[in-house]
Amino acid sequence: MLKRIRQQWKTYMGGSRMAAAGCIVLAVWILLAVTVPLVSPWSYSAQDAQIRNQDVSLLHWFGTDRFGRDLFTRVWYGAGISLTVGIASALINGAVGVFYGAVSGFAGRRTDLILMRIADIISAIPSMLYVILLTLVMGAGIGSMILGLCVAGWIGMARMVRGEILKLKEMEYAYAARMEGIRPMRILLRHLLPNAAGTIIVNLIFLVPQAIFTEAFLSFLGVGIEAPAASLGTIIQEARSQMMLYPYQMVFPLLVLCVMLLALNMAGTAAEQKAGGRMETMRGREDR
């Protein structure tokens, strides 16, 4: 199954200039997020009153904030935190959503009805409310943020996988497999899920920027990562009071956040376009 999924990844992400551009930008972005906090002579949290609110210079590439912290180091440290939250929550939501949706779609009938109604009940409450409540109970941190994003974040993936499985299990190869007496679990894992891998990959890619944007929005509202750690949303929120006098303190973290979201959406859009073309080809073959 993993080999089939890797092949699907190459199929949907390979040979596209948009996907290549997005992956290159994202790779550079990740490299900076990992290396800058490690090699920078400045700490992301150390304060120095003598260099408060300094403009961009060769010594401080993004300037300094109101506490005298180097913004270049702090922004890329925050970028790493945002990416960690986004990837971790996307992987958890993807895994739960794929399992839940596959079981619901393949089992069908009463099991499908019960599982989907449970999902509807969970999704009836806005996901941001889950994040806020868990942050208030567990304290502001990476763990509570990821957990809050995962309470209801898997439901969209589950519904998509359910729909794909419902379509795929009605195709001729699925009928043939059942006629040969192959076990249902083997049919699901070896035939249905690998053929839905393209759509799963596309949705998994889009889960990352969705989680990052949600975290940044909540941090901007003041419900986010607890100090001294900081995500991009936290840094933008801290710069809000300085926006009129020192706009660079908000512009740089915003640019870094926008570049990452753009790169992820470029890769996801390119994969989605290929997935759409591949599904049209499959439908044409079935019709013939």
Side-chain angles (χ1 to χ4, degrees), residues 4 39 45 63 67 75 81 105 116 180 183 192 195-196 209 211 265 273 285:
R4 291 279 297 275
V39 303
S45 60
F67 298 109
V75 164
I81 296 293
M116 286 298 101
E180 291 179 5
R183 291 179 299 174
L192 302 185
N195 282 297
N265 279 289
Q273 290 173 352
R285 290 174 180 173

Side-chain angles (χ1 to χ4, degrees), residues 12-13 198 202-203 206 266-278:
Y12 289 103
M13 297 303 294
V202 170
N203 282 268
F206 282 122
M266 286 173 64
T269 301
E272 187 176 34
Q273 290 173 352
K274 282 201 168 186
R278 189 174 176 84

Side-chain angles (χ1 to χ4, degrees), residues 3-262:
K3 184 178 179 180
R4 291 279 297 275
I5 292 176
R6 284 196 297 267
Q7 291 174 349
Q8 293 275 8
W9 176 270
K10 292 179 181 178
T11 300
Y12 289 103
M13 297 303 294
S16 171
R17 292 183 179 179
M18 184 184 295
C23 290
I24 290 172
V25 172
L26 188 61
V28 174
W29 195 96
I30 293 173
L31 181 64
L32 289 171
V34 171
T35 58
V36 168
L38 296 177
V39 303
S40 174
W42 306 100
S43 170
Y44 72 91
S45 60
Q47 303 179 15
D48 188 345
Q50 296 181 353
I51 58 172
R52 291 185 302 170
N53 298 318
Q54 287 192 359
D55 291 332
V56 177
S57 64
L58 292 176
L59 195 60
H60 302 286
W61 291 4
F62 287 178
T64 60
D65 64 8
R66 57 179 175 170
F67 298 109
R69 296 173 295 197
D70 180 69
L71 272 178
F72 185 74
T73 304
R74 189 164 173 79
V75 164
W76 287 112
Y77 171 82
I81 296 293
S82 295
L83 189 65
T84 300
V85 171
I87 291 178
S89 60
L91 290 176
I92 295 172
N93 285 329
V96 175
V98 169
F99 174 78
Y100 196 94
V103 171
S104 178
F106 192 73
R109 297 183 180 180
R110 187 174 299 177
T111 302
D112 181 32
L113 179 65
I114 293 172
L115 291 178
M116 286 298 101
R117 295 299 75 76
I118 292 173
D120 290 340
I121 293 171
I122 295 174
S123 64
I125 301 174
S127 58
M128 287 189 181
L129 186 58
Y130 289 119
V131 180
I132 294 172
L133 290 175
L134 285 171
T135 302
L136 293 175
V137 172
M138 301 175 58
I142 297 176
S144 59
M145 181 64 67
I146 293 173
L147 182 59
L149 291 171
C150 292
V151 173
W154 54 269
I155 293 177
M157 175 70 81
R159 287 171 175 164
M160 181 277 301
V161 173
R162 171 184 174 270
E164 288 294 310
I165 296 300
L166 285 173
K167 288 188 296 185
L168 291 172
K169 75 177 187 178
E170 299 299 326
M171 290 188 173
E172 293 180 359
Y173 67 85
Y175 276 118
R178 287 196 289 270
M179 292 294 291
E180 291 179 5
I182 299 176
R183 291 179 299 174
M185 187 59 65
R186 184 177 176 85
I187 295 174
L188 178 62
L189 296 178
R190 295 294 300 273
H191 299 283
L192 302 185
L193 279 178
N195 282 297
T199 308
I200 292 172
I201 289 170
V202 170
N203 282 268
L204 189 62
I205 293 173
F206 282 122
L207 280 177
V208 179
Q210 179 183 337
I212 291 173
F213 180 81
T214 303
E215 184 277 325
F217 177 74
L218 290 172
S219 295
F220 184 77
L221 295 179
V223 186
I225 307 299
E226 189 175 13
S231 66
L232 289 174
T234 305
I235 298 171
I236 295 169
Q237 192 274 337
E238 291 174 349
R240 183 174 56 177
S241 61
Q242 306 283 94
M243 183 173 59
M244 300 303 296
L245 296 174
Y246 309 103
Y248 65 88
Q249 295 183 12
M250 179 175 283
V251 169
F252 287 119
L254 273 173
L255 284 175
V256 171
L257 177 62
C258 290
V259 167
M260 178 181 57
L261 294 178
L262 178 62

